[in-house]
Amino acid sequence: MPVRHVASFDIGGTNLRAAVVAVDDGTARVVSQRRQETPNHLILPAMSAAERLDAVLDFIVAAVSEARQSHVIDAVAAAFPGPVDAAGRIAALPTLWGDDGQALCPLALDGLLAARLPGLPICLFNDVTAAGHRFVGQHRDFALFTLGSGVGLKVFIDGQAQVGPHGAGGELTHMVFDPSPGAPACDCGGRGHLGALASGRAWQRVCAAAEQDGQQPDLDGFVEPLARAVAMLHYALGLELFLFSGGLSEALGETLRAAIVRRLPEQGWQCGQDWNAMVRLAPDDDAHALIGGALAACRE
C-alpha cells in the first residue's frame, strides 16, 4: 500500500496543533506541524462559544489548505478534548469553552468540517482515544491518562477504546473525587472532579498557592486523586498498565510517576501488585494524538 498522508489535528485546551502525518504499513511519522494558542474560555472570556468554534474550524481549514500545497492529503483526523458518541457527535468541550457552550452540543462537527473540506474523509476522535491508537500495536489492555489543560482518560481492552454508545467511557475524570463545598471548580461547571484536582491548570494553582505561602508545592498530595483513579481501574478491570502523557506528565516526568507509585499502596488491597512496573510514562514527543489519530484514520 502506498504511503498515505493525513492532515491530523490535536485541538487542546491550551494549543491548537496541526500536522501532516505520513502513514506507511502501520507506522507513522510527523512530516510537518504547526500550532497556535487555543481561543479558550479562560484567555478570551468575552468570545462566545460559537465564535471559538468558528476559530477552530478556520484553523483546521487553513492548515489543510497549507498541507495540500506540498502533499496529497488522503484524510483528515481531528481529535477533540471531549466525549464523542457512536454517531461522531461531540457531547461537550469544557476545556475549550467552559460550560457556556453546552447549548451547541451534541455537535456534529464532522459534518461541519465535511462542508468546509468537500471530498476529504473526516475522522473525528476524542483526543485520548486518538492518542491511545498510537499504542495499540504495542499493548492490548491499558489505560492512558493525559494530564494537560484538563485530565483525559481512556481504557483500551483488546486494542479497542471502551467508550460506550454515548462516548462516556473514560470520563472518570469528571467524577467527584473531592465532595467538599469548597472543592476546585471544573471546566465543565462541576466541583471536585478529578480534572479539577489533577490537571496542569490545577498544578499551576497549587504551585501559586505554595509560593504565596513560602512553601514547596505538595506533589504527593496533588497526585493522590490520580493514584485513586489508577487503583479503581486496576481493581475494577484488572488492568496492569497505566500510561501517563500530556504536558504536565512531560514537565514533571519521573518525579510525577514516582509520586503516583508512592500513593498507590494505600488505595486498596495489596496482593503482590508491582505498581512501579504498572505505572509508566509515555514517550515525551507530545505527538500522541496527532500520530494515533492518523493511524486510526487509515484503519477506518
Side-chain angles (χ1 to χ4, degrees), residues 156-251:
F156 282 74
I157 302 293
D158 197 25
Q160 298 295 318
Q162 305 302 299
V163 297
H166 302 294
E171 296 300 329
L172 185 69
T173 56
H174 287 287
M175 282 186 62
V176 175
F177 275 60
D178 179 356
S180 64
C186 184
D187 288 326
C188 71
R191 284 193 174 274
H193 295 181
L194 179 61
L197 301 174
S199 65
R201 289 173 180 170
W203 179 242
Q204 289 175 344
R205 185 179 64 246
V206 167
C207 290
E211 183 178 9
Q212 188 173 14
D213 294 339
Q215 300 177 352
Q216 291 296 314
D218 178 12
L219 180 60
D220 276 31
F222 174 78
V223 302
E224 191 279 333
L226 291 171
R228 206 183 324 163
V230 167
M232 285 179 179
L233 294 171
H234 170 68
Y235 291 119
L237 301 174
L239 291 177
E240 296 194 349
L241 177 59
F242 303 90
L243 300 174
F244 282 82
S245 67
L248 183 62
S249 298
E250 292 169 12

Side-chain angles (χ1 to χ4, degrees), residues 229-296:
V230 167
M232 285 179 179
L233 294 171
H234 170 68
Y235 291 119
L237 301 174
L239 291 177
E240 296 194 349
L241 177 59
F242 303 90
L243 300 174
F244 282 82
S245 67
L248 183 62
S249 298
E250 292 169 12
L252 297 181
E254 175 59 21
T255 303
L256 175 78
R257 191 200 71 85
I260 295 170
V261 170
R262 282 195 298 272
R263 297 305 303 261
L264 275 162
E266 68 196 57
Q267 301 299 329
W269 182 37
Q270 298 306 294
C271 50
Q273 296 98 328
D274 186 350
W275 297 116
N276 191 56
M278 291 184 195
V279 178
R280 304 183 196 175
L281 296 172
D284 63 357
D285 59 14
D286 195 27
H288 305 311
L290 295 171
I291 290 175
L295 286 168

Side-chain angles (χ1 to χ4, degrees), residues 20 34 61-73:
V20 175
R34 55 178 283 199
V61 172
V64 171
S65 177
E66 180 181 304
R68 280 175 148 172
Q69 294 177 21
S70 52
H71 302 281
V72 175
I73 299 300

Side-chain angles (χ1 to χ4, degrees), residues 29 78 84 102 120 122 144 164 265:
R29 63 183 178 88
V84 179
Q102 197 56 38
L120 272 178
I122 307 294
L144 174 63

Side-chain angles (χ1 to χ4, degrees), residues 93 116 126:
L93 285 172
R116 296 192 182 206
N126 165 269

Side-chain angles (χ1 to χ4, degrees), residues 78 80 82-91 106-113 122-126 164-167 300:
F80 287 82
V84 179
D85 68 17
R89 299 173 302 180
I90 294 178
L107 182 64
L109 197 55
D110 53 351
L112 295 177
L113 285 172
I122 307 294
C123 301
L124 194 66
F125 304 100
N126 165 269
H166 302 294
E300 291 194 356

Side-chain angles (χ1 to χ4, degrees), residues 24-177:
D24 183 12
D25 193 27
T27 63
R29 63 183 178 88
V30 174
V31 177
S32 63
Q33 64 176 302
R34 55 178 283 199
R35 73 170 65 199
Q36 70 181 49
E37 191 174 51
T38 301
N40 65 50
H41 67 106
L42 296 177
I43 63 171
L44 293 171
M47 181 182 279
S48 71
E51 289 171 327
R52 293 190 196 102
L53 173 61
D54 281 339
V56 170
L57 293 175
D58 288 345
F59 171 79
I60 292 174
V61 172
V64 171
S65 177
E66 180 181 304
R68 280 175 148 172
Q69 294 177 21
S70 52
H71 302 281
V72 175
I73 299 300
D74 297 291
V76 173
F80 287 82
V84 179
D85 68 17
R89 299 173 302 180
I90 294 178
L93 285 172
T95 55
L96 268 69
W97 53 43
D99 60 354
D100 67 333
Q102 197 56 38
L104 298 177
C105 296
L107 182 64
L109 197 55
D110 53 351
L112 295 177
L113 285 172
R116 296 192 182 206
L117 297 168
L120 272 178
I122 307 294
C123 301
L124 194 66
F125 304 100
N126 165 269
D127 56 349
V128 192
T129 300
H133 279 287
R134 182 180 187 181
F135 303 106
V136 296
Q138 309 162 48
H139 311 293
R140 303 303 291 171
D141 302 334
F142 63 95
L144 174 63
F145 287 81
T146 60
L147 310 182
S149 302
V151 176
L153 166 66
K154 282 293 175 283
V155 170
F156 282 74
I157 302 293
D158 197 25
Q160 298 295 318
Q162 305 302 299
V163 297
H166 302 294
E171 296 300 329
L172 185 69
T173 56
H174 287 287
M175 282 186 62
V176 175
F177 275 60

